[in-house]
Amino acid sequence: MKPKNKFQQRVVEASKKLPKLTKEQIQWSKDNVIEHIGRRNEKGKITCTKCGHSWQGVGYLVDTLTDCDCPNCKAKLKVKTTNKRVFRTNYYMTIITACEGYQVIRSIMVKCTARTGKLPEYEHSEVMQRWLAPDGKYCTFAKLRQTMGTMYYDAWIHYTLLELRRENDVYDRIFTDIIYPRQKLIPEIKRTGFKKAFYGQKPLDLFRTLLIDSRTETLLKTGYTKLFKRIMDTGWKNIDNYWQSIRICIRNGYKIKHATMWCDYIDLLRFFEKDLHNAKYVCPTDLKKEHDRYVIKKAKADAQQELEKQLEKEDEYREAKAKFFGLAFFDGVISVRVLESVAEIILEGKLMHHCVGSYHTKEDSLILSACIDGEKIETIEVSLTQLRVIQSRGICNKNTKYHDRIVNLVNQNISLIEERLAA
Ligand SMILES: [Zn+2]
């Protein structure tokens, strides 16, 4: 892609000055990035795919052995019991460097092909670079990827050029956790108090946040690194929810040992409309105790709200259906009566294992229950506009042998419902 603006033009110019990868960097990737395999055969003989040394493993019956060190080259090996003779693996190494005033994050794909009986072959290919300016603007250079006929999002086409490309969220997904230890930083990042720890964040995200928001600097320099990590983990924009309280903590020299718990606690304080500027609340001596107390308080508040909702429903139901309350029919064996509350309808649904529980909101429905000697037999739904039974169901929606008799009993008494309806 041709540069679209001044910024991109400048980066393309600067990129011509970026040094080639060094021998040391490539060697480091072979020693540290690649997970070498210890190939174990059925007899328990293990062969190191890095140096070719093989030896009889002790206790070859132990199938759970997953890691070991090669006695010859000391490489850490991942043990696999297999007849496979060729192992191909891909890894990413990230190099953090600076060039012409830009922070550069380089992604190198390292490939290792290990054939039993031969020394492994290594290849490497720089597939991506992120160029970040001190003001937080960035652009990406990358190779092209194969997108058709592959299930991988990072099937790089290695012979293509590392060129300026339109941003694509695939670039953000490239693994960047294995970082070459020697890092070169632009002064603007050094100044923020960044100490080469990434707190589990992607380098680009971390650097951009450091450059854009000076609050990161305050957190790092005052030692609130756990809190910094926690907020980065949940999305940096959440800092706005906590910042006023964090400032109180800093002013009071309050240590936050459990960042997640403290953030949850602040959220609870906010829910209960406590003063988030007040050290009395935001700097508790016993955080866990206060946190747990508010968790219980919140659970009670939620339960109360649930109950109020329920009562509201009862009121609505009573208002809509009270005129039918007290209606009951009896044919000598079966008795049918109108259900008189939401609670009763929900209970009916639970006992009968059908879905009548939600029917209390149906404006056109009247719900009745049929019993014999107090035992529930079927639940009846009458349409108030059609003045007839539209369904009658026993346990698990099955009809009972009393089904026709129940439907007849209700239909014969439908005029009683009609009378109430007209009243
Ligand atoms: Zn070895």
Side-chain angles (χ1 to χ4, degrees):
M1 171 179 108
K2 290 250 178 305
K4 295 255 187 320
N5 52 45
K6 284 252 163 63
F7 165 68
Q8 292 183 350
Q9 271 168 16
R10 280 197 295 266
V11 174
V12 169
E13 274 314 303
S15 74
K16 292 173 185 164
K17 306 252 172 77
L18 187 70
K20 287 210 167 77
L21 299 173
T22 65
K23 277 194 187 123
E24 288 74 26
Q25 288 166 338
I26 302 306
Q27 187 56 45
W28 188 86
S29 78
K30 291 180 191 173
D31 296 337
N32 297 278
V33 178
I34 291 163
E35 195 173 55
H36 290 282
I37 291 162
R39 177 183 177 274
R40 182 169 58 176
N41 69 11
E42 283 164 355
K43 295 192 175 126
K45 196 172 105 180
I46 302 174
T47 306
C48 169
T49 56
K50 191 182 182 200
C51 73
H53 177 71
S54 45
W55 70 98
Q56 181 63 45
V58 281
Y60 64 90
L61 293 172
V62 185
D63 282 333
T64 49
L65 179 69
T66 54
D67 296 291
C68 74
D69 293 340
C70 171
N72 181 47
C73 72
K74 310 286 180 258
K76 281 222 171 312
L77 302 175
K78 187 140 204 85
V79 176
K80 281 188 182 169
T81 305
T82 173
N83 290 322
K84 240 172 69 171
R85 303 192 63 84
V86 184
F87 300 92
R88 287 191 183 83
T89 40
N90 288 335
Y91 297 93
Y92 284 103
M93 167 170 73
T94 302
I95 294 174
I96 308 285
T97 191
C99 179
E100 301 288 302
Y102 296 96
Q103 190 63 56
V104 189
I105 302 156
R106 308 173 75 168
S107 288
I108 292 97
M109 187 180 247
V110 186
K111 293 179 142 200
C112 175
T113 309
R115 290 181 174 84
T116 350
K118 283 188 181 168
L119 287 179
E121 287 161 28
Y122 302 96
E123 288 168 277
H124 68 270
S125 164
E126 184 163 16
V127 292
M128 182 175 80
Q129 292 168 356
R130 321 295 298 260
W131 287 72
L132 177 63
D135 63 0
K137 257 193 221 147
Y138 68 99
C139 61
T140 303
F141 288 55
K143 295 198 164 181
L144 290 174
R145 288 168 301 118
Q146 195 176 320
T147 49
M148 304 278 282
T150 172
M151 58 191 233
Y152 299 105
Y153 62 86
D154 64 342
W156 301 101
I157 306 172
H158 292 290
Y159 62 79
T160 59
L161 290 173
L162 193 64
E163 268 185 13
L164 182 66
R165 308 277 177 202
R166 189 166 311 162
E167 284 307 317
N168 184 319
D169 54 11
V170 163
Y171 301 147
D172 297 327
R173 286 159 65 193
I174 299 304
F175 185 79
T176 50
D177 286 9
I178 299 180
I179 296 171
Y180 185 66
R182 289 185 60 185
Q183 299 175 24
K184 219 164 135 187
L185 300 169
I186 55 172
E188 291 83 353
I189 288 178
K190 272 189 204 159
R191 229 174 273 151
T192 61
F194 171 70
K195 292 275 190 293
K196 303 190 179 179
F198 284 87
Y199 309 105
Q201 312 303 316
K202 295 244 164 205
L204 183 70
D205 290 344
L206 184 80
F207 289 155
R208 285 198 72 218
T209 314
L210 289 173
L211 290 170
I212 293 168
D213 194 332
S214 65
R215 290 177 290 186
T216 54
E217 192 175 331
T218 310
L219 287 182
L220 290 185
K221 288 188 174 164
T222 48
Y224 287 83
T225 49
K226 280 185 186 161
L227 192 58
F228 174 71
K229 177 180 178 347
R230 173 64 191 167
I231 298 173
M232 282 294 286
D233 284 345
T234 60
W236 180 251
K237 60 179 190 315
N238 288 318
I239 183 72
D240 295 334
N241 295 331
Y242 306 112
W243 186 244
Q244 48 179 340
S245 306
I246 292 170
R247 286 179 49 166
I248 304 298
C249 291
I250 293 173
R251 205 174 301 156
N252 287 274
Y254 181 75
K255 293 258 179 299
I256 298 172
K257 284 192 203 108
H258 300 283
T260 305
M261 193 190 282
W262 185 82
C263 290
D264 288 350
Y265 170 67
I266 297 297
D267 293 339
L268 288 162
L269 291 180
R270 187 179 306 107
F271 178 84
F272 288 106
E273 297 175 340
K274 300 294 177 197
D275 182 2
L276 297 179
H277 291 91
N278 189 335
K280 188 181 101 182
Y281 291 115
V282 304
C283 307
T285 320
D286 189 339
L287 172 63
K288 182 165 180 350
K289 195 176 139 209
E290 282 304 287
H291 168 271
D292 292 355
R293 192 167 71 83
Y294 274 95
V295 166
I296 291 167
K297 213 172 151 184
K298 176 75 164 52
K300 281 183 185 159
D302 288 348
Q304 182 61 30
Q305 203 187 7
E306 201 51 45
L307 189 67
E308 276 163 20
K309 255 193 241 161
Q310 205 57 47
L311 290 174
E312 219 169 88
K313 279 187 214 155
E314 288 290 5
D315 284 348
E316 278 167 28
Y317 181 75
R318 196 175 306 115
E319 202 170 306
K321 305 284 158 68
K323 56 181 145 188
F324 304 103
F325 290 179
L327 263 182
F329 326 124
F330 184 59
D331 71 355
V333 177
I334 300 167
S335 68
V336 172
R337 58 178 280 273
V338 171
L339 295 178
E340 297 187 0
S341 70
V342 176
E344 213 176 11
I345 291 175
I346 291 171
L347 182 65
E348 177 94 1
K350 281 195 182 139
L351 292 174
M352 303 292 276
H353 307 288
H354 54 44
C355 60
V356 75
S358 59
Y359 279 28
H360 58 85
T361 51
K362 287 174 119 183
E363 205 181 322
D364 186 45
S365 296
L366 187 64
I367 307 300
L368 304 95
S369 179
C371 298
I372 298 177
D373 291 334
E375 191 189 334
K376 289 185 187 298
I377 308 296
E378 289 193 13
T379 310
I380 306 118
E381 181 183 10
V382 169
S383 162
L384 292 171
T385 49
Q386 300 173 54
L387 284 169
R388 65 179 186 90
V389 172
I390 49 176
Q391 63 171 336
S392 181
R393 296 288 166 89
I395 286 175
C396 300
N397 283 322
K398 288 194 189 94
N399 290 343
T400 63
K401 62 176 178 177
Y402 301 102
H403 178 73
D404 293 341
R405 205 167 147 182
I406 293 167
V407 174
N408 285 337
L409 176 61
V410 177
N411 281 336
Q412 278 161 18
N413 288 286
I414 212 85
S415 58
L416 296 174
I417 294 174
E418 194 176 7
E419 272 172 29
R420 299 270 181 118
L421 195 58

